[in-house]
């Protein structure tokens, strides 16, 4: 007697054997959402979306949406750095953007992304913190840069970093006057070059993230949430506006050869150029 | 505030700088007999922009904009309750959580949920529960998460939260008895009593000594709320003509309150049309 053959609808097959379902596409050089293996999802950047913030930006990479707002406040500087201000980036992954995140304190992923972005901003010396000094030893500016993920569909690092850089580019802070322990700024009227200043960013790093699939030796650009969950590892390449590397992060158990790394860096260069063009269009 | 070890740390405490206005600065006051946005009449609402489906991972989602008030809502569920040992209940539960983004208000808000947000979450749950058919999903929970991206008036935030949550629930396909529309109004005095006629900012003629009948400003924004004597937020089910929640604060005479409730009900009917339009658009999109 012949053994019955099992047939599944595509959606059932995807649930039962996600990796195999995926492999059927990648061997043909495409992915389930129709993209080529090295294609990034359509990206949009909008500036100045939140009027209560000193500066803001919204970045959409496919289904991932991040809104970043910058708020400037005044604080006492650290004792060992009396003329330096603070730059405090944070990424919020709330339960609203995906069911992966539970309510409560930031998840490990949120902490990891926040720390990764903090490292990029600090080590690349994007902003000279001395520019944020108001009165040495007494008062400095604190820039709280909060990126809130509104919708999550993978690749939060690229979207959050792009939103943070887009917001930092346009920060406008009122010029402060220091008077007997209080900081005063002028109110009313619109912010102009006379009563406010913008930040002088030394570098503008942007990133491109790739997912690694060990068994099939494929590299996918800009993984979405399904691809992230079945990938074996990820590489993020961060480059500044001159094409110099600001950071390379490889996480996960997958291994990749040097030629693969070089290909990723080349692809990242093209992607970050494209991203800068999108950011300056607005 | 305790140091939050799970976030990138800033300084222990920071303050916003003092804002000094120039001498010739003339802030808006209600005594000019016009609203903050001079194109609006006292009974006019701000135009509403409502869109569904912006969060692909959620079962239902919606985004609302009332000019400068922006909220997003994601609905997850019905999904099984984690702790089934809490005893069998033949009705599902509705859990609502609202969070203001740190940059959403003029003064930076904290990253952890404060008492105001917890209270608002309770208010929203109470206002939405009567409309949802919870008996259809026992042992399950529906989670509603709202993030306020920008806030221009506390009353309008609460009202918009009701509206956006209902639309997101409908988008998620959760059966409801009716949509819940939210509307807010402020009681703002538009003239100064005669006892303070020496004030140089008064331009309008003063009313009778002592009592000032405040004017009802529908959907007041932040600048108008600064002068308010009281406010009201109403959550209303338009098809059933039933109110699910009323939140009145401040002082006002009974007549003013009933008048404002009538105005809010009328406004909710208009908002209902906008909500329906947004949901119909989302169905058309799905067909495509």
């Amino acid at each position: 007697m012949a053994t019955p053959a099992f047939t599944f609808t595509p959606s059932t097959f995807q649930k039962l054997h996600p990796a195999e379902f995926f492999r059927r596409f990648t061997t043909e050089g495409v992915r389930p959402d129709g993209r080529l293996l090295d294609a990034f999802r359509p990206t949009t950047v909008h500036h100045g979306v939140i009027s209560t913030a000193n500066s803001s930006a919204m970045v959409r990479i496919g289904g991932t949406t991040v809104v970043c707002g910058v708020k400037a406040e005044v604080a006492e500087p650290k004792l060992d750095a009396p003329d330096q201000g603070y730059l405090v980036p944070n990424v919020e992954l709330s339960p609203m953007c995906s069911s992966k995140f539970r309510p409560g304190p930031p998840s490990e992923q949120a902490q990891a992304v926040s720390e990764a972005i903090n490292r990029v901003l600090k080590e690349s010396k994007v902003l000279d913190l001395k520019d944020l000094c108001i009165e040495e030893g007494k008062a400095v500016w604190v820039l709280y840069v909060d990126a809130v993920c509104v919708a999550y569909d993978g690749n939060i690092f690229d979207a959050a970093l792009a939103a943070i850089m887009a917001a930092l580019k346009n920060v406008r802070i009122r010029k402060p006057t220091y008077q007997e322990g209080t900081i005063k700024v002028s109110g009313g009227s619109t912010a102009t070059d006379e009563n406010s200043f913008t930040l002088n960013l030394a570098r503008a790093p942007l990133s491109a993230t790739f997912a690694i699939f060990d068994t099939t030796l494929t590299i996918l650009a800009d993984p979405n949430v399904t691809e992230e969950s079945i990938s074996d590892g990820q590489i993020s390449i961060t480059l500044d506006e001159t094409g110099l590397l600001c950071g390379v992060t490889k996480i996960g158990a997958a291994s990749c050869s040097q030629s693969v790394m070089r290909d990723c860096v080349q692809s990242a260069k093209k992607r970050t150029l494209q991203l800068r063009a999108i950011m300056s269009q607005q | 505030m305790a140091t939050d070890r799970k976030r990138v740390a800033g300084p222990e405490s920071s303050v916003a700088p003092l804002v000094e206005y120039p001498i010739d600065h003339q802030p808006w006051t209600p005594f000019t007999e016009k609203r903050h946005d001079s194109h609006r009449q006292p009974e006019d609402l701000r135009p509403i922009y409502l869109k569904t489906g912006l969060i692909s991972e959620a079962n239902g989602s919606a985004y609302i904009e009332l000019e400068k008030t922006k909220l997003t809502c994601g609905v997850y569920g019905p999904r099984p309750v984690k702790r089934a040992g809490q005893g069998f209940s033949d009705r599902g539960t509705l859990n609502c959580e609202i969070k203001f983004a740190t940059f959403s208000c003029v003064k930076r808000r904290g990253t952890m949920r404060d008492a105001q947000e917890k209270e608002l979450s309770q208010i929203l749950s109470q206002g939405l529960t009567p409309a949802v058919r919870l008996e259809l999903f026992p042992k399950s929970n529906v989670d509603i998460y709202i993030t306020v991206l920008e806030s221009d008036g506390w009353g309008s935030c609460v009202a918009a939260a009701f509206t956006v949550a209902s639309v997101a629930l409908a988008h998620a396909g959760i059966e409801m008895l009716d949509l819940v529309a939210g509307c807010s109004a402020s009681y703002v005095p538009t003239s100064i009593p005669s006892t303070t006629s020496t004030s140089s900012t008064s331009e309008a003629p003063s009313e009778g000594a002592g009592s000032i009948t405040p004017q009802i400003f529908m959907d007041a924004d932040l600048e108008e709320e600064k002068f308010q004597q009281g406010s009201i937020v109403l959550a209303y089910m338009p098809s059933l003509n039933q109110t699910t929640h009323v939140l009145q604060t401040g002082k006002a005479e009974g007549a003013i309150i009933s008048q404002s409730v009538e105005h809010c009900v009328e406004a909710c009917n208009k908002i209902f049309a906008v909500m329906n339009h947004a949901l119909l658009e989302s169905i058309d999109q799905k067909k495509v």
Side-chain angles (χ1 to χ4, degrees):
Chain A
M1 199 162 71
T3 48
F6 281 108
T7 53
F8 299 120
T9 57
S11 51
T12 317
F13 188 57
Q14 188 183 15
K15 288 202 171 74
L16 290 174
H17 303 281
E20 182 58 33
F21 174 82
F22 203 69
R23 199 186 67 78
R24 299 285 171 97
F25 287 87
T26 50
T27 45
E28 305 292 323
V30 283
R31 299 141 114 177
D33 61 0
R35 282 191 284 162
L36 294 176
L37 302 187
D38 59 355
F40 285 82
R41 286 171 290 181
T43 308
T44 54
V45 178
H46 294 273
H47 299 279
V49 290
I50 310 281
S51 64
T52 46
N54 287 78
S55 171
S56 58
M58 178 173 79
V59 169
R60 267 206 204 106
I61 298 183
T64 299
T65 308
V66 176
V67 176
C68 176
V70 179
K71 291 288 273 182
E73 290 198 334
V74 178
E76 278 188 12
K78 291 189 203 154
L79 286 173
D80 55 353
D83 59 348
Q84 287 184 24
Y86 300 83
L87 182 62
V88 187
N90 262 303
V91 178
E92 291 277 337
L93 291 173
S94 69
M96 179 184 79
C97 62
S98 164
S99 50
K100 282 167 54 151
F101 310 115
R102 300 268 101 213
S107 57
E108 270 196 39
Q109 190 178 7
Q111 289 179 56
V113 176
S114 297
E115 194 49 49
I117 291 182
N118 190 31
R119 196 176 50 239
V120 166
L121 295 177
K122 294 279 149 56
E123 300 294 323
S124 309
K125 297 187 174 42
V126 166
L127 180 63
D128 185 359
L129 296 177
K130 296 199 170 111
D131 290 348
L132 298 175
C133 182
I134 302 173
E135 187 76 19
E136 187 169 329
K138 301 257 173 62
V140 292
W141 286 110
V142 185
L143 288 181
Y144 291 104
V145 185
D146 294 305
V148 173
C149 181
V150 168
Y152 184 83
D153 193 12
N155 201 4
I156 182 69
F157 181 69
D158 283 2
L161 184 60
I164 286 173
M165 291 316 301
L168 281 176
K169 230 176 31 160
N170 299 320
V171 172
R172 209 163 246 288
I173 306 175
R174 295 275 175 150
K175 287 185 181 154
T177 43
Y178 181 80
Q179 225 180 37
E180 297 154 17
T182 46
I183 306 294
K184 295 190 182 159
V185 295
S186 63
S189 69
T190 44
T192 59
D193 283 330
E194 279 172 21
N195 58 15
S196 60
F197 65 93
T198 52
L199 296 179
N200 183 22
L201 299 179
R203 296 170 88 183
L206 288 175
S207 64
T209 302
F210 305 86
I212 313 168
F213 288 82
D214 221 1
T215 44
T216 52
L217 300 173
T218 31
I219 304 285
L220 297 181
D222 187 17
N224 64 23
V225 67
T226 358
E227 293 162 357
E228 251 182 25
S229 58
I230 53 173
S231 67
D232 302 303
Q234 280 185 36
I235 304 179
S236 286
I237 315 269
T238 315
L239 297 151
D240 73 5
E241 68 279 9
T242 59
L244 288 176
L245 278 175
C246 291
V248 176
T249 315
K250 191 202 148 299
I251 56 169
S255 55
C256 68
S257 62
Q258 283 190 24
S259 62
V260 162
M261 274 287 209
R262 273 195 288 268
D263 290 340
C264 286
V265 173
Q266 289 309 313
S267 185
K269 277 192 178 150
K270 273 190 261 173
R271 164 64 175 173
T272 49
L273 272 174
Q274 184 196 41
L275 203 48
R276 279 177 221 287
I278 296 172
M279 272 171 60
S280 55
Q281 257 170 23
Q282 307 295 326
Chain B
M1 196 170 28
T3 42
D4 192 350
R5 286 177 195 278
K6 296 206 170 193
R7 291 193 163 87
V8 174
E12 262 185 39
S13 66
S14 60
V15 288
L18 279 173
V19 184
E20 246 182 358
Y21 289 97
I23 301 166
D24 60 351
H25 176 74
Q26 291 214 319
W28 173 84
T29 64
F31 311 120
T32 54
E33 305 248 312
K34 272 194 179 161
R35 296 195 68 166
H36 182 224
D37 175 4
S38 49
H39 300 291
R40 279 172 74 191
Q41 298 303 314
E43 64 272 7
D44 282 347
L45 306 173
R46 279 172 283 186
I48 299 175
Y49 173 76
L50 199 50
K51 197 165 187 332
T52 57
L54 293 171
I55 306 176
S56 52
E57 284 276 287
N59 292 96
S61 60
Y63 170 74
I64 191 170
E65 234 181 68
L66 286 91
E67 283 183 6
K68 286 195 187 162
T69 297
K70 301 179 170 98
L71 284 82
T72 45
C73 175
V75 167
Y76 292 87
R79 45 187 187 186
V81 185
K82 290 288 168 177
R83 273 169 281 160
Q86 287 206 337
F88 175 77
S89 166
D90 58 354
R91 282 170 67 84
T93 46
L94 198 74
N95 173 40
C96 206
E97 277 186 31
I98 187 166
K99 180 85 188 64
F100 283 78
T102 53
F103 44 77
S104 58
C105 300
V106 177
K107 186 172 183 300
R108 184 176 185 262
R109 292 189 80 108
T111 46
M112 293 188 270
R113 287 176 74 214
D114 54 31
Q116 194 190 35
E117 286 163 351
K118 289 192 184 149
E119 193 216 0
L120 256 183
S121 306
Q122 286 269 11
I123 290 168
L124 282 170
S125 300
Q126 287 168 3
L128 291 166
T129 306
V132 180
R133 295 198 62 195
L134 295 171
E135 70 275 8
L136 291 178
F137 45 94
K139 299 195 295 183
S140 302
N141 185 35
V142 171
D143 287 311
I144 304 171
Y145 299 108
I146 300 179
T147 302
V148 182
L149 294 170
E150 195 180 345
S151 163
D152 189 20
W154 187 84
S156 70
C157 262
V158 183
F162 278 115
T163 309
V164 75
S166 306
V167 173
L169 280 168
H171 185 245
I174 291 167
E175 272 200 48
M176 300 199 286
L177 294 169
D178 194 3
L179 290 173
V180 178
C183 185
S184 68
S186 270
Y187 314 128
V188 181
T190 45
S191 56
I192 305 172
S194 54
T195 46
T196 57
S197 56
T198 50
S199 165
S200 56
T201 55
S202 168
E203 282 179 330
S206 55
E207 300 225 317
S211 70
I212 322 148
T213 311
Q215 210 177 5
I216 301 172
F217 280 179
M218 297 299 297
D219 191 18
D221 58 26
L222 195 63
E223 291 297 316
E224 291 167 350
E225 279 188 351
K226 286 183 183 162
F227 291 92
Q228 71 181 13
Q229 281 180 343
S231 72
I232 187 166
V233 177
L234 191 85
Y236 174 75
M237 293 195 286
S239 308
L240 297 176
N241 193 18
Q242 285 182 1
T243 308
T244 60
H245 199 90
V246 179
L247 187 66
Q248 193 267 328
T249 59
K251 65 177 187 182
E253 288 179 358
I256 298 283
I257 295 180
S258 22
Q259 202 187 3
S260 63
V261 167
E262 274 174 29
H263 285 323
C264 282
V265 165
E266 264 177 52
C268 282
N269 283 315
K270 290 185 203 158
I271 296 171
F272 183 57
V274 179
M275 291 162 84
N276 277 328
H277 182 75
L279 286 167
L280 284 171
E281 256 186 20
S282 74
I283 296 172
D284 286 336
Q285 274 171 12
K286 275 187 191 164
K287 276 188 197 155
V288 169

